[in-house]
Amino acid sequence: MNEKRIIAGNWKMNLSFPEAIELVEKLKTCEIPEDTGVILGVPYPYLHEIKKMTRSYPRIRISAQNCHQELKGAYTGEVSALMLASIGVDGVILGHSERRMYFHEDNTLLLQKLHAALSFGLHPIFCCGEPLDIRQAEKHEEYVANQLQKCIFQLDEELFRDCMIAYEPIWAIGTGETATPEQAQSMHRFIRNLIDRRYGTEMANLTRILYGGSVKPGNAAALFALPDVDGGLVGGASLQADDFCAIIQASSVHE
Ligand code: PGA
């Protein structure tokens, strides 16, 4: 991913197959600003077809929303990074707060998943972010630093280079409440400084740090204008072609 801005949609467990196809058909007509890359986080059963539909759109990449940590074996119902790579999937969302919360994914497991994904050339979007009580106790920096240090910062430099980070305060996900531009900028700056300390300044500048949590057409431009916000991870608003296209267009870089 060489673009300056990345707008990723996370469909979660939404849309029937015909609805998904219709959404992608509409998105193909969206004018993507120069220097913006688009990622669609698609449910497993639709990945193959949607990858095929977007093959001639190099700035639209397709991502899974999870993968298993093993490459194959007796794990009924699971999907491996090898399988995803073999159908041309470009990336995978890992560590989303819903996976951490409902499926008990912890740092150890997520590090295994990162290794599995990276070993098949999938680009992970690694999510971090604090719950409301931690924010209220003003422990959010410590909390997010711990999520990064115990997991993705265990990767060596060559592997980390292929990852993106999404900062998603849990209290802003699906709630309609967004982090203020000040809160978002301050956390993104904090994360970039942590990357700088772990991997150096070049890597800190190179790493895409996306904001997630109730990104909408109305607040996207203000968030994407922040110096350390390199794009967004968009849930609800990525299910409507017009809204998602408006968010994509709000990423146009004015410098
Ligand atoms: P939301 O979801 O945009 O609906 O708040 C964001 C996410 O969970 O990635």
Side-chain angles (χ1 to χ4, degrees):
M1 297 248 132
N2 300 318
E3 295 95 350
K4 206 167 166 50
R5 298 288 165 90
I6 300 292
I7 309 300
N10 176 9
W11 296 356
K12 308 189 181 183
M13 198 175 71
N14 292 298
L15 304 174
S16 67
F17 186 54
E19 286 167 345
I21 300 295
E22 193 187 329
L23 173 59
V24 176
E25 284 301 349
K26 286 188 184 155
L27 288 177
K28 287 192 330 193
T29 66
C30 178
E31 219 172 290
I32 303 174
E34 205 183 319
D35 244 2
T36 294
V38 173
I39 298 175
L40 303 178
V42 172
Y44 287 141
Y46 312 158
L47 282 165
H48 187 243
E49 184 61 27
I50 288 177
K51 183 64 209 177
K52 271 207 309 206
M53 284 175 74
T54 51
R55 249 186 229 293
S56 51
Y57 294 76
R59 269 186 306 137
I60 303 183
R61 260 84 107 195
I62 304 304
S63 180
Q65 301 171 15
N66 180 32
C67 70
H68 195 266
Q69 64 275 23
E70 300 293 338
L71 80 156
K72 63 174 183 151
Y75 301 100
T76 302
E78 290 296 325
V79 173
S80 71
L82 178 154
M83 293 171 176
L84 297 173
S86 74
I87 57 166
V89 167
D90 305 287
V92 58
I93 300 169
L94 289 174
H96 192 280
S97 58
E98 289 151 16
R99 302 265 350 147
R100 293 177 191 261
M101 202 174 346
Y102 304 134
F103 303 94
H104 315 293
E105 297 193 356
D106 60 14
N107 293 325
T108 309
L109 178 69
L110 288 170
L111 184 58
Q112 291 171 343
K113 290 190 177 203
L114 279 167
H115 276 293
L118 287 160
S119 66
F120 290 97
L122 299 176
H123 293 265
I125 299 178
F126 182 80
C127 305
C128 60
E130 79 286 354
L132 185 59
D133 57 330
I134 297 288
R135 165 66 64 169
Q136 284 168 338
E138 296 183 11
K139 295 258 166 53
H140 44 285
E141 290 192 347
E142 196 181 317
Y143 186 92
V144 168
N146 187 61
Q147 283 181 317
L148 298 174
Q149 281 155 356
K150 295 266 164 63
C151 190
I152 195 166
F153 283 5
Q154 300 292 317
L155 296 175
D156 63 23
E157 198 177 314
E158 292 85 279
L159 293 178
F160 183 82
R161 192 177 291 277
D162 286 334
C163 300
M164 275 176 262
I165 290 181
Y167 169 62
E168 300 204 300
I170 297 172
W171 45 272
I173 296 178
T175 57
E177 193 173 332
T178 324
T180 63
E182 293 72 27
Q183 287 171 325
Q185 170 54 26
S186 144
M187 277 312 278
H188 281 236
R189 182 78 233 157
F190 174 73
I191 291 168
R192 206 177 296 285
N193 286 338
L194 292 175
I195 300 170
D196 191 331
R197 244 180 285 155
R198 169 66 180 89
Y199 295 103
T201 307
E202 194 210 338
M203 186 75 89
N205 293 334
L206 208 76
T207 305
R208 301 284 169 269
I209 308 175
L210 315 182
Y211 169 79
S214 298
V215 177
K216 307 280 179 225
N219 59 26
L223 287 162
F224 302 156
L226 299 166
D228 287 293
V229 175
D230 304 312
L233 179 56
V234 186
S238 74
L239 300 171
Q240 301 289 336
D242 291 348
D243 283 358
F244 194 51
C245 183
I247 292 170
I248 291 168
Q249 290 173 345
S251 69
S252 138
V253 184
H254 303 288
E255 281 175 325

